[in-house]
Amino acid sequence: MADTDTSVPGTEAAGAETPAAETEAAAPADPATALAREAADLKDRLLRSLAEMENLRRRTEKQVDDARVYGIANFARDSLGVADNMRRALDAVTPELRESADTAVKALIEGVELTERELLRVLEKHGVKKLEPLGNKFDPNLHQAMYEVPDPSVPAGTVAQVVQAGYTIGDRVLRPALVAVAKGGAKPGPAPANDNAGEQMSDDGDQRSDI
């Protein structure tokens, strides 16, 4: 009895093509394409590294600049007490006392003034500057209000008095100025009543009652 062929037509051809497709998929890519991809990846890494190095350089420069400008902040803040004491001593000398003082006292006063100017000059040389807020508008970033004073000659919010001088170092406030702020001119109140008019009204009322 003859064997029956049960194979499906086309099966052998399909089976023969499958190994060839797997071989093509497993074959390595074009070397030029692989090198181009690797070069692009290395270039991206190089650019990232250069950007990180530039950021690090800028941060380092800023830290060095800050250390140079603000490194003496604590020392300068402690030195302000000396300037305050000299200013208090000079403020205690009235014009009358200065005029009536003898030569030795005048020389002492001039010496204190010279020392104060020299101290402020040295502080300014190192970036510490004295604030001059008197007559200027109150700035909460630079000034600290202690109290208000009525002063109709200036607008409200103007620094009318300086209780303690303030200083800056670089772009920062080393010590805010303690100031008194003017309230400004008083607002006009209600017009006072006319007493004569009131008397006339009462007289008229009395006359009407008599009638």
Side-chain angles (χ1 to χ4, degrees):
M1 185 174 178
D3 296 336
T4 304
D5 187 5
T6 60
S7 61
V8 179
T11 303
E12 296 179 357
E17 293 177 357
T18 302
E22 293 177 355
T23 303
E24 291 178 359
D30 184 15
T33 303
L35 290 175
R37 186 181 298 110
E38 184 178 359
D41 182 61
L42 292 176
K43 182 179 180 180
D44 181 69
R45 293 183 181 180
L46 176 61
L47 293 177
R48 290 177 181 273
S49 298
L50 292 176
E52 291 178 358
M53 291 298 296
E54 180 65 18
N55 293 334
L56 178 61
R57 183 186 66 81
R58 292 179 180 177
R59 288 196 300 267
T60 303
E61 288 181 353
K62 187 177 185 305
Q63 291 174 356
V64 172
D65 292 340
D66 290 346
R68 182 174 61 252
V69 175
Y70 305 110
I72 64 168
N74 292 332
F75 173 77
R77 189 179 294 109
D78 293 339
S79 300
L80 298 183
V82 180
D84 293 339
N85 291 332
M86 285 191 291
R87 175 42 46 188
R88 293 189 187 100
L90 292 174
D91 290 340
V93 180
T94 61
E96 295 78 8
L97 180 60
R98 184 187 292 265
E99 290 295 331
S100 61
D102 56 18
T103 305
V105 175
K106 288 182 179 180
L108 177 61
I109 296 173
E110 292 175 357
V112 175
E113 291 175 341
L114 180 62
T115 304
E116 182 192 33
R117 288 196 299 269
E118 181 65 16
L119 176 60
L120 295 178
R121 188 192 66 80
V122 172
L123 290 174
E124 187 171 356
K125 179 181 177 181
H126 293 279
V128 180
K129 296 182 179 181
K130 183 179 180 180
L131 296 174
E132 300 292 345
L134 187 63
N136 296 330
K137 185 178 180 180
F138 175 77
D139 187 350
N141 298 318
L142 301 175
H143 314 143
Q144 181 178 344
M146 303 301 293
Y147 52 89
E148 289 183 328
V149 293
D151 190 352
S153 63
V154 295
T158 302
V159 177
Q161 299 176 7
V162 178
V163 181
Q164 186 181 67
Y167 294 84
T168 60
I169 179 170
D171 296 331
R172 303 177 186 176
V173 177
L174 183 63
R175 188 182 73 182
L178 305 183
V179 300
V181 183
K183 292 183 179 180
K187 296 181 180 179
N194 192 335
D195 295 337
N196 294 331
E199 292 177 357
Q200 292 177 359
M201 290 179 62
S202 60
D203 293 342
D204 294 341
D206 294 340
Q207 292 176 0
R208 292 191 184 94
S209 61
D210 295 338
I211 294 172

